Amino acid sequence: NAGVMQNPRHLVRRRGQEARLRCSPVKGHSHVYWYRQLPEEGLKFMVYLQKENIIDESGMPKERFSAEFPKEGPSILRIQQVVRGDSAAYFCASSPGSGLNTEAFFGQGTRLTVV
Amino acid sequence: AQKVTQAQTEISVVEKEDVTLDCVYETRDTTYYLFWYKQPPSGELVFLIRRNSFDEQNEISGRYSWNFQKSTSSFNFTITASQVVDSAVYFCALSETGGNNRKLIWGLGTSLAVNP
């Protein structure tokens, strides 16, 4: 069984470009969470999605950031017109349900560097 | 509001020493879960333990042990006879309740360096 797969592992973008981060959840998991880890900081929740639905995007910046989890295919975190402050590690987690007793499995993260 | 505090930013020990990583949390929920994750230098997040708020029994897994005390809102993690491979950043996290949402509130992490 494959775990959560994130790609790319490392992504370098120039200021103003778009970054697309992909997350394939554990097979059978329909719940996906995105977290951001800024340098020297803990993780911060960004968004929670179920298939085709955004459930909670309270942690997403209001502009330039969007997320989707289509019926088919991976979840995508999209950052438009990247700025240096977007440089961070972005982690995706998936779970089979939303209950507290369900463990979320994390991917290895995508490290975005904006130059 | 929920909050997780890891007061120790960095800890350095010599191999074979025991080390305890502190975690203090705040929540108004009566049902919640606490987690510990390890982030080695390679960057991935490795799940270590999940503990629910109704189970205050201490847990031991090999050289790792966890002490959960609701009275002091603490969930401390002890590594016995530390090894160089234990060098990593360790995060404590709290799950937040609320309908269909489940998101983790994270501490800032404790960076542990185990020196030979």
Side-chain angles (χ1 to χ4, degrees):
Chain A
N1 283 329
V4 176
M5 303 299 292
Q6 290 188 248
N7 66 81
R9 291 288 308 278
H10 300 275
L11 181 61
V12 179
R13 283 288 178 266
R14 296 186 185 279
R15 281 179 295 172
Q17 291 184 319
E18 178 180 288
R20 292 172 71 89
L21 287 62
R22 294 175 180 77
C23 169
S24 296
V26 173
K27 188 176 181 180
H29 285 189
S30 58
H31 299 249
V32 165
Y33 309 80
W34 285 94
Y35 290 84
R36 177 165 66 173
Q37 183 180 27
L38 293 168
E40 310 300 326
E41 292 188 19
L43 281 75
K44 301 289 187 187
F45 168 80
M46 298 182 74
V47 61
Y48 163 41
L49 309 103
Q50 292 181 32
K51 283 286 188 180
E52 300 184 272
N53 290 304
I54 296 174
I55 306 303
D56 181 352
E57 55 182 347
S58 59
M60 289 276 272
K62 298 299 180 188
E63 299 177 347
R64 302 187 296 107
F65 284 71
S66 62
E68 63 178 12
F69 189 17
K71 186 177 180 180
E72 301 291 339
S75 176
I76 306 288
L77 179 67
R78 181 183 178 202
I79 311 172
Q80 295 178 291
Q81 299 175 343
V82 296
V83 300
R84 289 230 170 104
D86 297 332
S87 295
Y90 293 83
F91 287 92
C92 168
S94 76
S95 69
S98 61
L100 285 181
N101 62 347
T102 54
E103 178 187 337
F105 295 82
F106 280 85
Q108 292 187 302
T110 293
R111 275 146 190 86
L112 172 65
T113 302
V114 179
V115 298
Chain B
Q2 281 87 347
K3 183 180 179 182
V4 175
T5 301
Q6 294 180 255
Q8 304 146 309
T9 305
E10 296 180 358
I11 299 177
S12 181
V13 299
V14 176
E15 206 170 15
K16 299 184 182 177
E17 283 185 32
D18 298 347
V19 57
T20 295
L21 283 60
D22 298 332
C23 173
V24 174
Y25 63 93
E26 296 175 29
T27 180
R28 293 182 180 178
D29 294 332
T30 55
T31 302
Y32 52 90
Y33 277 73
L34 294 161
F35 300 77
W36 275 94
Y37 282 86
K38 174 183 179 180
Q39 188 176 42
S42 50
E44 72 271 24
L45 286 166
V46 179
F47 167 81
L48 295 178
I49 191 171
R50 176 182 69 233
R51 169 68 64 192
N52 76 57
S53 53
F54 297 107
D55 183 1
E56 289 194 68
Q57 281 192 348
N58 291 335
E59 174 127 356
I60 298 175
S61 176
R63 294 184 298 107
Y64 296 169
S65 62
W66 290 268
N67 183 1
F68 177 32
Q69 293 194 347
K70 287 181 75 171
S71 60
T72 56
S73 297
S74 65
F75 186 43
N76 297 336
F77 171 36
T78 298
I79 302 174
T80 302
S82 59
Q83 300 176 2
V84 173
V85 293
D86 296 327
S87 297
V89 180
Y90 291 85
F91 291 99
C92 180
L94 167 72
S95 66
E96 184 177 82
T97 56
N100 284 327
N101 188 18
R102 175 185 165 281
K103 54 192 181 188
L104 296 177
I105 309 299
W106 297 74
L108 294 182
T110 296
S111 178
L112 174 65
V114 181
N115 302 300

